[in-house]
Amino acid sequence: MPYQHTRSLRMVLLDTIHGFYLQALARLPSGDLRSRLHRSLLRGGYCYGPMDDPASNIILNTIWYEANFAAEITPALDLIGPKSLTRLVSRSFYGLVSFLQTRYHNLSEHQVVQCLVGTCGQLRAADPNFCAPGDEKAKQHRWCSDIPIITEMEKRIPSAGIQEAYEAAATAAWHPNPEQQAAFLTSWEGDRHSMGSKFSLEEVQQLCSVLSPNQPPIPERICSSSYHVKVGKMRSQAQQMRLSRKVQAALNKHLLRDGIET
């Protein structure tokens, strides 16, 4: 039975994380998302980080990756496919779990997932020792102190520091640059409040300039001449067209009422 309970909690947490990605996608400018940010989102836009809510962590990680590891050429996409989004959600899940298990070695997967479900996937709330002693931010998360597992964690000394836990999370999430991401998230001294409003193109560019290194990064080259890359590109383009037609048909259906366009 414990396995079945863990599996049920895991599905609840995955559904919650999926909702965070929908929130983040709604906040990013659609034009920038289709033209270039989709790549950075899929490669490094995970929901763990120093921000107050996971959706803001997704945005922060996405824009940081775009500012530091931009591609030489990024193909435009009409939408992000459901399989890609599901894979991204799963990687964020592994990152969250690895973060807490690195910090608290004696916690089982069931305890970690239970903790994350109880705090809606917010690391700053799930880890009672995330904030430094005396930090005003720590007081804002006392609402979760009545969760038994978190009450137990408050009495323990973490087995690893925040940066080591971030690196473990990035490695588990298959981040292309786990050490760099861990160093960035640990050193973040900007505003930790929720990025709740819709981003404009200018605001994305401004945040990119803040997060970019002192020297312009060398764009990542993508080998597009191999057979497997060409086949994968053709398969991806076919899927994009198929999904775009389905979305457009659904939108057209809901735009019509009794045969009259509304």
Side-chain angles (χ1 to χ4, degrees):
M1 293 303 291
Y3 169 75
Q4 294 180 358
H5 293 160
T6 303
R7 185 176 184 276
S8 299
L9 288 172
R10 189 187 300 126
M11 297 305 295
V12 171
L13 182 56
L14 287 169
D15 188 60
T16 301
I17 296 172
H18 184 268
F20 296 147
Y21 277 99
L22 297 183
Q23 294 175 29
L25 289 171
R27 296 180 196 174
L28 291 169
S30 56
D32 229 20
L33 189 59
R34 287 195 297 265
S35 62
R36 62 191 182 103
L37 288 181
H38 61 83
R39 171 186 172 273
S40 298
L41 174 70
L42 293 173
R43 289 177 67 84
Y46 300 125
C47 70
Y48 53 80
M51 304 298 291
D52 282 346
D53 73 294
S56 296
N57 283 325
I58 294 170
I59 295 173
L60 180 67
N61 284 321
T62 298
I63 297 179
W64 173 78
Y65 192 89
E66 176 64 27
N68 290 269
F69 306 100
E72 190 173 31
I73 300 176
T74 303
L77 292 181
D78 290 333
L79 51 83
I80 295 176
K83 291 183 179 179
S84 297
L85 188 57
T86 299
R87 184 161 50 247
L88 188 58
V89 168
S90 297
R91 289 179 176 180
S92 271
F93 167 84
Y94 292 133
L96 290 172
V97 172
S98 295
F99 182 97
L100 288 181
Q101 286 192 318
T102 301
R103 293 271 286 165
Y104 305 94
H105 290 167
N106 54 344
L107 290 182
S108 65
E109 181 189 357
H110 179 81
Q111 290 175 312
V112 169
V113 175
Q114 185 181 32
C115 176
L116 289 168
V117 169
T119 55
C120 297
Q122 300 182 40
L123 275 183
R124 291 174 63 82
D127 185 351
N129 299 297
F130 190 97
C131 300
D135 192 338
E136 290 298 320
K137 290 292 183 182
K139 298 179 181 179
Q140 297 180 10
H141 296 297
R142 291 304 180 191
W143 58 270
C144 62
S145 60
D146 58 342
I147 299 176
I149 184 61
I150 294 183
T151 303
E152 183 181 346
M153 290 164 63
E154 287 179 340
K155 304 174 184 177
R156 301 177 183 178
I157 299 176
S159 305
I162 295 293
Q163 182 165 343
E164 183 180 346
Y166 273 140
E167 188 171 340
T171 301
W174 285 58
H175 193 286
N177 309 91
E179 294 181 2
Q180 292 94 320
Q181 191 200 33
F184 161 68
L185 294 178
T186 306
S187 63
W188 173 251
E189 297 180 351
D191 190 359
R192 298 178 187 271
H193 292 294
S194 171
M195 300 177 181
S197 58
K198 176 77 174 181
F199 269 64
S200 65
L201 179 60
E202 292 73 20
E203 288 172 327
V204 170
Q205 292 174 342
Q206 181 181 4
L207 188 55
C208 266
S209 64
V210 172
L211 299 178
S212 61
N214 295 329
Q215 295 181 348
I218 300 176
E220 292 185 353
R221 292 182 175 272
I222 301 176
C223 179
S224 58
S225 59
S226 69
Y227 171 78
H228 296 290
V229 171
K230 290 181 178 179
V231 171
K233 182 178 179 180
M234 292 174 60
R235 187 184 299 114
S236 177
Q237 290 175 339
Q239 182 189 45
Q240 284 285 313
M241 293 177 61
R242 184 168 61 256
L243 290 174
S244 295
R245 286 196 298 267
K246 290 183 178 180
V247 171
Q248 191 60 51
L251 291 174
N252 291 338
K253 180 180 179 180
H254 288 284
L255 284 173
L256 295 175
R257 180 178 299 173
D258 297 331
I260 302 175
E261 187 171 357
T262 58

